[in-house]
Amino acid sequence: MAINKQHAIDPDKCTACTICITACPVTAATRKFRGPKMTGPALTRLRKLVSDDDPMLDYCSNCKTCDLVCPSGVPISTLNMMAKNEYYKTHPRKSRADDMLAHSEKMGKLITALPMGSTFAGMGMAIGKAFNMMNAMGITQNAKMPTYASESFISKFKKIKQTSYPRKVVFFSGCYINYNQPEVGVDLVKVYQKNEVEVAVDEKFVCCGSPMVSGGYIDDARINAAKNVKLLKGWVDKGYDIVTACTSCGLMLKQEYQELFDFAGMADYAEHMYDSIEYLAKLNDEGKFNTDFVENSTKYIYHAPCHLKVQAIGRPSMELLPLIPGMQIEEADAGCCGISGSYGFKADKNEIAMKVGSKLFARIKNSHADLGVSECGTCRLQMENGSGVHAIHPLTVFKKAYGL
């Protein structure tokens, strides 16, 4: 299916001010990428007239820092992703890993469905690294990869007994929480129950499509978007708010769908979408946030994901976490971690990703923090890869603070 151009952004709104280039973490890390302005708005005007042969498109990580700083409000990264999608319709893929990383939901479903699937998957990755098979596939040998859980979040959720409350949300867990870190989803349910919120899930939800878009598979993402939009609108029509615990999922469902596609009802449900910690901050504003915490003397350092920053919702975690007695937490404020979903897992991008995240890694090490904190699953993994300090979701910190 072709991308609907009704929601494509006019590249002529770009004033060529170069702010996006100075802010781009990839441009700062390598000369192989000419920068978001030239790759996005500038060449979008010319590709159909001259040539679509632009291999530099592959270096955009879709971190969206360019969108965040653009004074004209041009979603530059979306222009880049749309161009990448068109490019790979007529050009061969550089790596066999592209399809696997972009369609990780398929692997997650397979592994969690098989007995001992997560064990065998872990053994396979270890053997693959030992014999350099990962690199041959286009996946880096140098980074710790996400491990698969033995049981999905959806499966775990069905065993949780909740108290029913008038306030209800539907939780879009996303692939990473569902198949890699289901404990984060369980923590969300426990924390929300402590705040008298009942949580529902919908087994019909599919991958939000963010990894597909970043990989240049927008046409595949459109298929998923059509399914999710209908379901999300249905939940909102029943009076539910929508929460996500992955900033990339939240950004995709709330904003990028509207930039890329033309399905009815997207703006309606987007008004009821919240990041999981943003929703708790909403409760706090209403005087309904449970602050009956036990003391926590752990020292934390917080990293704000790029896909949180671009949503312009502030830093809800840094607003609420300091309410925990004894809490020691500081914000890293050191830019992009470099991972950008699956970008840093690619063999030809890992060195760039580690260079992008080098300031953050140094900041974490110098903080002497016990744990890192971030809302993004792959950011947490990258924080650990680069600094050696384990990182957890803010929901896990709140669960501990409630003595759960």
Side-chain angles (χ1 to χ4, degrees), residues 136-346:
M137 292 175 59
I139 298 176
T140 181
Q141 298 277 113
N142 302 322
K144 178 182 177 182
M145 298 293 291
T147 56
Y148 287 95
S150 58
E151 185 179 5
S152 71
F153 164 69
I154 296 295
S155 177
K156 287 178 177 289
F157 176 81
K158 293 176 182 178
K159 302 173 186 177
I160 301 174
K161 294 182 179 180
Q162 295 187 70
T163 301
S164 181
Y165 293 110
R167 193 160 197 155
K168 304 177 190 296
V169 300
V170 60
F171 174 45
F172 186 97
S173 62
C175 303
Y176 195 84
I177 289 175
N178 196 27
Y179 300 115
N180 300 104
Q181 289 192 340
E183 65 274 11
V184 173
V186 173
D187 290 348
L188 180 141
V189 178
K190 291 180 178 180
V191 169
Y192 273 45
Q193 281 280 284
K194 289 291 287 187
N195 285 276
E196 299 186 355
V197 178
E198 186 177 355
V199 180
V201 298
D202 193 328
E203 292 185 59
K204 295 179 182 178
F205 284 145
V206 292
C207 173
C208 69
S210 180
M212 299 175 191
V213 170
S214 295
Y217 295 89
I218 295 180
D219 296 341
D220 292 352
R222 182 183 178 89
I223 296 171
N224 280 24
K227 296 176 183 177
N228 287 331
V229 166
K230 184 178 180 180
L231 294 170
L232 291 167
K233 188 176 184 304
W235 282 101
V236 169
D237 289 344
K238 289 191 292 186
Y240 284 69
D241 287 321
I242 308 159
V243 295
T244 62
C246 167
T247 52
S248 296
C249 287
L251 180 66
M252 187 72 189
L253 298 173
K254 181 166 58 177
Q255 179 178 315
E256 291 182 277
Y257 276 7
Q258 296 187 63
E259 294 172 358
L260 292 165
F261 310 123
D262 62 338
F263 305 117
M266 289 190 289
D268 296 333
Y269 80 70
E271 294 179 359
H272 298 271
M273 278 208 66
Y274 300 89
D275 174 78
S276 59
I277 310 302
E278 178 192 12
Y279 196 79
L280 296 178
K282 173 181 168 64
L283 295 182
N284 191 48
D285 291 341
E286 297 171 3
K288 297 178 181 179
F289 181 53
N290 184 348
T291 56
D292 185 18
F293 297 127
V294 298
E295 188 167 343
N296 184 347
S297 59
T298 306
K299 187 175 182 180
Y300 299 97
I301 184 163
Y302 169 75
H303 166 65
C306 296
H307 287 180
L308 174 79
K309 295 175 184 176
V310 77
Q311 293 182 53
I313 59 174
R315 305 285 193 277
S317 290
M318 289 303 292
E319 176 186 341
L320 297 184
L321 288 172
L323 299 178
I324 299 172
M327 171 64 66
Q328 301 178 66
I329 187 164
E330 57 182 314
E331 184 171 357
D333 193 21
C336 180
C337 75
I339 197 70
S340 291
S342 61
Y343 184 87
F345 295 130
K346 297 179 181 180

Side-chain angles (χ1 to χ4, degrees), residues 367-389:
S367 73
H368 301 294
D370 300 309
L371 289 169
V373 180
S374 184
E375 294 90 345
C376 173
T378 52
C379 282
R380 294 194 294 273
L381 194 58
Q382 178 77 336
M383 291 164 74
E384 184 172 345
N385 280 338
S387 71
V389 176

